[in-house]
Amino acid sequence: MIVLGIESTAHTFGVGIVKDEKPYILADARAEYVPREGIHPREAARFFAEHAASVINKALKQANVDFKDIDGIAIALGPGMGPCLRIGATIARFLASYYDKKLIPVNHAVAHVEIGLLVTKATDPVVVYLSGGNTAIVAYVDGRYRVFGETLDIALGNLLDTFAREVGLAPPYIVGSLHVVDKCAEDGKKFINLPYVVKGQDVSFSGLLTAALRAVRKGTKLNDVCLTLREIAYTMVVEVAERALAHTGKNEVMLVGGVAASPILREKFEKMVRYHNAKLYVVPPKFAVDNGVMIAWTGLLGLKHGVSVNIENSIIRQRWRIDEVDITWRA
Ligand code: FE2
């Protein structure tokens, strides 16, 4: 079975092609919209529309397949930004109807988890999903990925990026393998007073962002603000993940999403899992960020278990939660 998957939820238009036998991943083509400021959804959508055809063709060429070889078209219908989702969905509906293929709805967050399991070989981890738009701790229990903690406002990636941009550290946001906030924190010497907000199993970063920006405006040394900001933010996430690990009794933790690449964050998680005799898996950056392969792979798992959708019902869902999806292939 071969599935082509399309990712277009935020800044990446990605097309992946996968097969249900080794080497699994046949193609991985992408075009990334890189904004100067935060993502402008309509501009990203225009960029996707302009690049879609060439990315699809590139993927087909890489995989050396034709549409006649493909069994299904998988599409990330959410969560994400409306204008961006609509471009991918329109193209996927067209391909499915024109070539008479099954259309497979994929939840973007579920796809982050599934590609992580494929590439890290973790089997049943507590998943820490950290990206520009998401901060969630999830784990598989009784047929679904249940949420064991999430952000009440902005995501961890958004916190770091917005702070960096507001104080003039970015763009670019990543230098070498480090986020500019991590880089700036290297010369931090002392901790300042910033809010640490964990409510039950949930985290909140917006007050931390406001307080950090206020501290910079008042003349506090930027390196000290960066050091405190990232120590507090990362520790909040580790705390919530640690409780989820203890509660579920699992013995694996997997980091996914763009922010998972941070070596500083990884070090904190290494210490925590060692304490619980658990194992840490980190999805490599190439597959930790948004890509079409994860959509194709999750679509393939779904299609093998009868998941598909009629074109009329293939609506996009900007706020489609991970815990609303039945994980039929694991049941
Ligand atoms: Fe993502």
Side-chain angles (χ1 to χ4, degrees):
M1 183 181 278
I2 296 180
V3 170
L4 179 146
I6 299 177
E7 155 63 27
S8 79
T9 62
H11 43 67
T12 301
F13 187 87
V15 177
I17 300 176
V18 301
K19 198 174 183 177
D20 58 349
E21 55 193 54
K22 280 187 177 162
Y24 303 121
I25 300 169
L26 304 182
D28 177 7
R30 316 173 185 195
E32 199 188 344
Y33 163 75
V34 185
R36 289 271 327 152
E37 304 255 302
I39 297 183
H40 191 301
R42 257 174 305 145
E43 267 180 32
R46 194 180 316 132
F47 174 89
F48 289 177
E50 284 164 8
H51 291 77
S54 72
V55 177
I56 293 168
N57 280 325
K58 198 170 159 197
L60 291 168
K61 219 182 235 170
Q62 260 181 37
N64 199 19
V65 295
D66 203 328
F67 275 106
K68 67 176 181 333
D69 310 312
I70 289 170
D71 298 283
I73 307 290
I75 176 65
L77 288 179
M81 301 183 186
C84 303
L85 288 167
R86 242 166 257 132
I87 299 290
T90 305
I91 293 167
R93 288 180 198 122
F94 163 75
L95 292 175
S97 105
Y98 188 82
Y99 292 105
D100 193 23
K101 306 292 177 186
K102 292 273 190 200
L103 184 63
I104 317 149
V106 171
N107 176 292
H108 176 89
V110 170
H112 269 298
V113 177
E114 294 300 342
I115 194 70
L117 297 178
L118 176 72
V119 301
T120 66
K121 306 279 180 257
T123 55
D124 187 20
V126 166
V127 180
V128 182
Y129 171 30
L130 306 170
S131 69
N134 299 276
T135 300
I137 317 292
V138 303
Y140 180 82
V141 178
D142 282 344
R144 289 191 178 186
Y145 290 114
R146 312 282 170 180
V147 178
F148 285 86
E150 61 192 325
T151 179
L152 296 169
D153 38 61
I154 58 172
L156 177 58
N158 193 351
L159 164 75
L160 299 175
D161 290 357
T162 307
F163 178 78
R165 199 167 59 233
E166 293 285 320
V167 301
L169 285 171
Y173 297 92
I174 306 287
V175 176
S177 62
L178 284 184
H179 194 280
V180 285
V181 171
D182 278 339
K183 190 99 196 114
C184 173
E186 282 176 352
D187 295 318
K189 300 252 178 322
K190 63 169 198 210
F191 289 99
I192 61 163
N193 198 10
L194 291 178
Y196 181 105
V197 188
V198 173
K199 296 179 179 177
Q201 270 295 91
D202 295 326
V203 294
S204 160
F205 294 121
S206 67
L208 176 58
L209 174 63
T210 310
L213 290 173
R214 196 183 301 134
V216 175
R217 251 177 258 127
K218 276 187 178 163
T220 312
K221 203 167 164 233
L222 185 57
N223 305 95
D224 292 339
V225 182
C226 284
L227 175 67
T228 312
L229 176 73
R230 76 109 192 269
E231 286 300 316
I232 287 183
Y234 290 176
T235 308
M236 280 162 56
V237 174
V238 175
E239 180 196 327
V240 176
E242 181 172 20
R243 262 203 304 276
L245 186 66
H247 176 78
T248 56
K250 295 189 191 283
N251 53 22
E252 298 175 327
V253 173
M254 183 172 81
L255 302 183
V256 301
V259 184
S262 164
I264 314 285
L265 183 69
R266 183 189 180 134
E267 210 175 283
K268 291 190 187 303
F269 269 99
E270 295 271 7
K271 279 188 193 147
M272 185 272 277
V273 298
R274 219 177 299 140
Y275 186 75
H276 290 272
N277 283 325
K279 195 163 178 221
L280 181 69
Y281 297 87
V282 183
V283 180
K286 186 176 168 198
F287 292 113
V289 298
D290 294 353
N291 62 85
V293 176
M294 68 185 202
I295 307 302
W297 178 248
T298 309
L300 184 137
L301 295 172
L303 187 59
K304 275 181 159 280
H305 290 80
V307 178
S308 69
V309 65
N310 290 333
I311 289 183
E312 311 82 85
N313 298 329
S314 62
I315 44 167
I316 59 159
R317 296 174 64 185
Q318 284 175 252
R319 298 186 183 280
W320 190 10
R321 285 178 61 86
I322 192 170
D323 53 6
E324 291 172 333
V325 183
D326 287 322
I327 309 301
T328 47
W329 52 93
R330 288 190 66 138

